[in-house]
Amino acid sequence: DEERGTAAVRAFLASAAAAAVERVIVCEPSGRRAGVAHRGVLAYRATVRGHGGHSSRADHHPAPIVTMARLAVALYDLGVAHRDRGPAGMPGLCLNVAGVDGGVAFNVIPEQAGLTYSIRPAPGFDRASWEASVAAAARAIDPAITLACEVDHEPFGDGADRGLAALIGPHVERLVALDYWTEAALYQAAGKAAIVVGPGDIGCAHAADESVAIADLDWAVALFADVYARVAAEAARG
């Protein structure tokens, strides 16, 4: 669901069914660790328009793709400058210049070009300052560049625990900050305590060999069976 806009979880959180939920375990591949914080995701689209035309006029018309290439380098440099900044365990922004597009043929000057890029900010990130820096860099390259945020996922962390770490603790190697985004951030924003733990390793996710080891599935079965038993015992004690 988080890959397609988080519609399902947002609908659940807006429903009466979510009202009684106090604690949430988000089952994402955590490598037998438990995530108590993670980065957000901000994905942006930059665009610029030119005049287009025959490439024989290229010396006299704007070059939108070159403009986007210059912005790509400026963004990369900003990302490098942030690599040592941030909280322990989550330094840097994971800035990713994902693509430049716009051309149609070698003999045609593009009418426009676009640039897709993203960052993964840690909790406490100064988003306003970052976006001001990017806007200033874009203006210095070409004031006609437009910037728009297309994916806006808040970081997760620093929320109430309500005993979740203790509940999961006997089964995990350690509590960690994660570099990838999960819907724990949505649950936390809705006032629920959340933690991220599940079988598998994010290191092989979104890859040709994406898989979960059978031993990890056995580990997860034991973990959740124990969690359900302990929560039931808590409820029985009132």
Side-chain angles (χ1 to χ4, degrees), residues 148-159:
C149 182
E150 297 189 332
V151 176
D152 186 349
H153 291 333
E154 290 292 321
F156 161 65
D158 301 325

Side-chain angles (χ1 to χ4, degrees), residues 97-161:
V97 175
V100 176
D101 56 82
V104 294
F106 77 91
N107 59 346
V108 178
I109 304 168
E111 291 185 7
Q112 64 178 7
L115 169 66
T116 300
Y117 62 98
S118 66
I119 59 172
R120 293 180 176 266
F125 175 67
D126 187 348
R127 177 176 173 177
S129 177
W130 161 256
E131 292 184 342
S133 297
V134 173
R139 283 195 304 273
I141 294 166
D142 188 335
I145 294 173
T146 63
L147 303 168
C149 182
E150 297 189 332
V151 176
D152 186 349
H153 291 333
E154 290 292 321
F156 161 65
D158 301 325
D161 173 76

Side-chain angles (χ1 to χ4, degrees), residues 14 20 29 71 112 185 198-200 223 225 236-237:
L71 180 60
Q112 64 178 7
L223 182 154
R237 291 194 299 269

Side-chain angles (χ1 to χ4, degrees), residues 193-208:
I195 199 165
V196 183
V197 62
D201 191 324
I202 199 66
C204 72
H206 298 185

